[in-house]
């Protein structure tokens, strides 16, 4: 049975690294816990789905107010263990996130997805999400 929990201690945050590294391979393991903790001080939450004690999916999110959409949940990170995809773990995590957003009074729910992540896009479309904007970025360093 899949259970979703918040990672709020250094130990539980660390347990999420292996799965998160599938999406964020540029973040070194030694940097992961301190980076998440710095983000948590700014309102970031890290959730993980586990099945039979193993972390199978991870999501990082924030709840915030923005002029464009009002109170919203923005998902920074959403990833399922590469070896466990198409088993319902991503859907379980997405459902949990959306339920949490509703509980926290959010009017909208959004995420960005890299243009190369075609399988993820197909999943989001199946889950009735739509492309509503383009995200532009520029490295400053």
């Amino acid at each position: 049975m899949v259970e979703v929990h918040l990672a709020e201690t250094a130990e539980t945050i660390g347990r999420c690294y292996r799965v998160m590294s599938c999406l964020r391979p540029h973040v070194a393991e030694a940097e992961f816990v301190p980076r998440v903790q710095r983000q948590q001080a700014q309102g970031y939450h890290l959730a993980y789905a586990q099945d039979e004690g193993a972390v199978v999916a991870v999501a990082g999110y924030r709840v915030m107010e923005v002029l464009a959409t009002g109170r919203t949940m923005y998902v920074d990170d959403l990833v399922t263990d590469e070896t466990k995809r198409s088993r319902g773990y991503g859907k379980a995590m997405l459902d949990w996130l959306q339920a949490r957003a509703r509980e926290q009074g959010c009017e909208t729910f959004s995420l960005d997805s890299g243009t190369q992540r075609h399988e993820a896009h197909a999943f989001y479309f199946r889950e009735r999400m739509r492309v509503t904007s383009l995200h532009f970025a520029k490295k400053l360093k």
Side-chain angles (χ1 to χ4, degrees), residues 31-50:
E31 298 173 12
F32 182 67
V33 171
R35 282 182 71 167
V36 168
Q37 290 173 325
R38 284 193 304 272
Q39 288 179 228
Q40 286 175 325
Q42 299 170 11
Y44 177 87
H45 301 276
L46 183 63
Y48 63 97
Q50 67 179 17

Side-chain angles (χ1 to χ4, degrees), residues 66-108:
V66 294
L67 289 174
T69 59
R71 188 166 176 83
T72 189
M73 177 181 283
Y74 175 76
V75 178
D76 295 57
D77 318 289
L78 177 57
V79 61
T80 299
D81 182 325
E82 290 175 339
T83 66
K84 300 189 184 309
R85 293 202 173 136
S86 297
R87 298 184 191 181
Y89 299 131
K91 179 166 176 36
M93 180 61 83
L94 192 64
D95 289 349
W96 184 89
L97 289 165
Q98 291 179 45
R100 184 109 175 154
R102 285 184 192 95
E103 289 168 8
Q104 295 189 13
C106 294
E107 299 169 57
T108 59

